[in-house]
């Protein structure tokens, strides 16, 4: 197996299934990308990968190479900071960063450059979106000169080779196998082969974006003889709208989903900008976020509020499990051995009053202390149906069923919101930890419905982090 790096074909033979793309690239002398946090939070490791766009061409996506398995790059294309420009011929992003003082110690700069370049080449760009670099952290320069460099960028020239590449198709994600001394990374040809591999190797690790397992590899020394890459399986990447539900493919990245939904599910539209960072959202998948079973994942509270169900697929076909019955304990679920998450279904029509509130220490790129998704069906001023999902207050994401009962059948007024908020604060079993105390979590829960009512029938939801 081979990967194209900065236009050069490089062999992957001998690569261990757990080796990340960052170590693979650095071992070949491409040392611009650095390891900072080893968990996808700092962006010092960012590189660009070629992904298919919606028109048969290519888009460049910036990703955390410290999390991405090197084996997943088989047959793919990667561009690092070294591939964008040279000291003698700087790329426009590199030039602006240099002349505007955007680099001091330089440790984070190559990662910034790759995130900025991916935004620079965004085909529908109508100006640089600074949130594109919200997953890149700088310790010494400060962000003003980096912001100045971003806003000074124009559009790519017609003969820009990286832009020219976008007019051709992205590499196909065909079946591949990368063998190392201790095991293999396998990308099956289809879902049936993935299930067969899982049956033959029950201890194999299923990996899509690897934004969770990659952290285990880096910080906890996780190793496995077989990794099954399912991120590009066509059967897991559908996005369809039926008469009574939406179906979201489990292997769609959060970025794919945001583009595909195009604002049609306002509750999820509120989640996307608060979910980690663009670097993570370009890898993290719908199914992966649920499969990890984290009680503080941001997607589950929103999907609980949307009354979503999980489509589990195994040797006997599909089975549909309501999301509020999916989690059984801390990082445990009803998913059986040999099954994987194929899709998530959201019933239609959607509730008209919906919001997502995330309480965290930072507004972006942070883990929530409490996350709440709310969806209310209000008719003639009365709450006919309520669904509330909450993360961060129990060993699993939970439905706040007592609060839902306190809302249903009552007028949607400030008084009702306040009374229901008093019920919401008593839901779950919040604990004291380094993110927040149990008392703080309960206090914030009590305010959520009051805030929703104050925001009005079509709230502009946003994070609470400072």
């Amino acid at each position: 197996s081979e990967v194209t790096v900065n236009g050069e074909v490089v062999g992957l033979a001998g690569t261990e299934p757990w080796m990340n793309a960052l170590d693979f690239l650095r071992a070949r002398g491409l040392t611009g990308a650095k390891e900072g946090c080893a968990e996808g939070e700092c962006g010092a490791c960012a590189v660009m990968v070629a992904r298919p766009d919606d028109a048969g061409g290519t888009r460049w996506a910036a990703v955390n190479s410290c999390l991405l398995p090197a084996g997943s790059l088989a047959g793919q294309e990667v561009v690092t900071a070294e591939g964008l420009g040279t000291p003698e011929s700087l790329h426009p992003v590199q030039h602006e960063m240099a002349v505007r003082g955007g680099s001091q110690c330089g440790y984070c700069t190559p990662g910034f450059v790759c995130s900025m370049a991916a935004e620079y080449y965004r085909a529908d760009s109508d100006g640089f979106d600074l949130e594109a670099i919200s997953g890149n952290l700088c310790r010494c320069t400060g962000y003003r000169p980096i912001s100045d460099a971003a806003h000074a960028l124009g559009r790519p020239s017609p003969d820009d080779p990286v832009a020219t590449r976008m007019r051709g198709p992205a590499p196909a994600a065909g079946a591949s196998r990368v063998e190392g001394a201790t095991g293999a990374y396998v990308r099956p040809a289809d879902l049936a082969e993935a299930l067969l591999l899982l049956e033959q190797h029950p201890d194999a690790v299923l990996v899509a974006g690897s934004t969770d397992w990659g952290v285990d590899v880096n910080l906890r020394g996780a190793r496995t003889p077989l990794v099954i890459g399912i991120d590009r399986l066509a059967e897991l990447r559908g996005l369809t709208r039926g008469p009574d539900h939406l179906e979201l493919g489990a292997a769609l990245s959060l970025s794919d989903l945001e583009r595909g939904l195009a604002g049609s599910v306002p509750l999820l539209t509120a989640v996307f900008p608060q979910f980690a960072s663009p670097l993570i959202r370009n890898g993290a998948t719908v199914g992966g976020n649920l499969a990890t079973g984290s009680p503080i994942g941001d997607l589950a509270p929103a999907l609980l509020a949307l009354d979503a169900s999980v489509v589990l697929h195994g040797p006997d076909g599909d089975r549909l499990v309501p999301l509020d019955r999916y989690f059984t304990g801390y990082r445990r679920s009803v998913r059986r051995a040999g099954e994987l998450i194929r899709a998530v279904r959201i019933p239609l029509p959607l509730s008209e009053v919906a919001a997502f509130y995330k309480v965290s220490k930072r507004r972006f790129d942070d883990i929530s202390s409490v996350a709440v998704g709310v969806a209310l069906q209000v008719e003639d001023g009365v709450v006919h149906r309520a669904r509330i999902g909450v993360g961060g207050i129990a060993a699993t994401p939970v439905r706040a069923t007592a609060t839902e009962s306190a809302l249903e059948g009552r007028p949607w007024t400030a008084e009702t919101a306040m009374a229901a908020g008093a019920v919401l604060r008593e839901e779950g079993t919040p604990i004291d930890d380094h993110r927040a105390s149990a008392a703080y979590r309960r206090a914030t829960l009590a305010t959520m419905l009051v805030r929703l009512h104050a925001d009005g029938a079509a709230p502009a939801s946003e994070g609470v982090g400072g």
Side-chain angles (χ1 to χ4, degrees):
S1 295
E2 300 171 329
V3 55
T4 300
V5 182
N6 298 333
E8 178 184 353
V9 176
V10 179
L12 284 162
T15 301
E16 303 295 349
W18 41 262
M19 175 177 275
N20 62 43
L22 174 65
D23 289 345
F24 174 82
L25 293 169
R26 289 181 62 81
R28 281 145 187 82
L30 298 171
T31 55
K34 310 290 197 302
E35 181 183 285
C37 64
E39 56 185 345
E41 190 172 5
C42 73
C45 65
V47 299
M48 300 197 311
V49 295
R51 298 267 175 86
D53 65 13
D54 298 327
T58 296
R59 63 180 179 85
W60 293 105
V63 296
N64 294 111
S65 65
C66 78
L67 301 178
L68 196 67
S72 71
L73 298 175
Q76 304 302 296
E77 293 181 35
V78 179
V79 173
T80 70
E82 294 92 341
L84 288 170
T86 66
E88 297 75 28
S89 179
L90 293 176
H91 185 273
V93 172
Q94 295 168 326
H95 172 80
E96 293 298 341
M97 284 283 279
V99 300
R100 296 178 191 279
S103 177
Q104 191 166 323
C105 81
Y107 195 93
C108 69
T109 304
F112 266 102
V113 164
C114 286
S115 289
M116 293 169 71
E119 172 66 9
Y120 176 67
Y121 291 114
R122 185 164 54 90
D124 60 348
S125 179
D126 53 359
F128 196 99
D129 180 2
L130 280 179
E131 288 189 17
I133 53 174
S134 63
N136 296 81
L137 302 182
C138 172
R139 300 300 188 196
C140 52
T141 302
Y143 297 100
R144 178 58 184 270
I146 296 172
S147 171
D148 290 344
H151 286 309
L153 291 167
R155 301 294 299 133
S157 64
D159 59 349
D160 183 311
V162 183
T164 300
R165 171 65 187 85
M166 296 172 69
R167 294 194 282 271
S176 62
R177 186 181 186 93
V178 178
E179 294 274 4
T182 64
Y185 180 100
V186 177
R187 188 188 298 283
D190 53 29
L191 183 56
E193 185 184 348
L195 291 181
L196 180 61
L197 285 169
L198 199 55
E199 180 183 2
Q200 295 170 342
H201 306 275
D203 294 331
V205 175
L206 293 169
V207 170
S210 195
T211 55
D212 188 74
W213 190 69
V215 176
D216 286 343
V217 168
N218 293 340
L219 302 186
R220 301 181 182 90
R223 300 291 185 265
T224 183
L226 180 64
V227 175
I228 304 173
I230 58 173
D231 55 312
R232 303 294 290 275
L233 293 181
E235 298 97 328
L236 306 184
R237 293 185 55 80
L239 178 55
T240 58
R241 186 183 186 101
D244 57 1
H245 70 264
L246 282 168
E247 184 165 295
L248 319 177
L252 289 171
S253 73
L254 274 291
S255 297
D256 291 332
L257 190 57
E258 184 175 16
R259 282 190 302 274
L261 291 176
S264 61
V265 183
L267 185 48
L268 292 181
T269 300
V271 175
F272 294 135
Q274 299 176 72
F275 190 107
S277 69
L279 289 168
I280 293 293
R281 293 196 297 273
N282 284 337
T285 60
V286 180
N289 194 244
L290 298 179
T292 62
S294 171
I296 50 174
D298 288 337
L299 201 57
L303 291 174
L304 284 167
L306 291 167
D307 220 11
S309 296
V310 178
V311 183
L312 296 172
H313 186 80
D316 297 326
D318 285 349
R319 66 185 181 108
L320 195 65
V321 177
L323 185 57
D324 60 0
R325 299 179 193 169
Y326 173 76
F327 303 105
T328 59
Y330 180 71
R331 292 187 178 269
R332 297 197 306 273
S333 72
V334 299
R335 184 164 61 93
R336 300 167 184 159
E339 284 185 328
L340 50 74
I341 299 175
R342 185 181 67 76
V344 172
R345 286 184 185 169
I346 298 173
L348 297 173
L350 302 173
S351 296
E352 296 175 359
V353 179
F356 176 79
Y357 297 118
K358 175 175 177 173
V359 179
S360 55
K361 293 183 178 180
R362 294 193 306 263
R363 185 175 295 276
F364 298 112
D365 198 15
D366 201 4
I367 296 172
S368 62
S369 300
V370 174
V372 179
V374 185
L376 308 179
Q377 188 63 44
V378 180
E379 299 176 14
D380 299 324
V382 175
V383 179
H384 282 257
R385 187 171 182 273
R387 290 292 182 270
I388 302 173
V390 189
I393 63 166
T396 68
V398 297
R399 273 255 319 267
T401 53
T403 308
E404 294 170 1
S405 297
L407 287 167
E408 291 178 345
R410 291 169 172 79
W412 180 229
T413 62
E415 292 74 20
T416 297
M418 185 170 292
V423 178
L424 184 56
R425 70 171 290 143
E426 301 304 320
E427 298 263 21
T429 55
I431 62 173
D432 297 326
D433 62 19
H434 64 284
R435 294 189 184 94
S437 66
Y440 178 76
R441 287 184 164 99
R442 291 198 186 281
T444 57
L445 285 174
T447 68
M448 295 300 182
L449 295 172
V450 176
R451 180 179 176 185
L452 173 60
H453 185 271
D455 282 343
S461 302
E462 59 185 32
V464 183

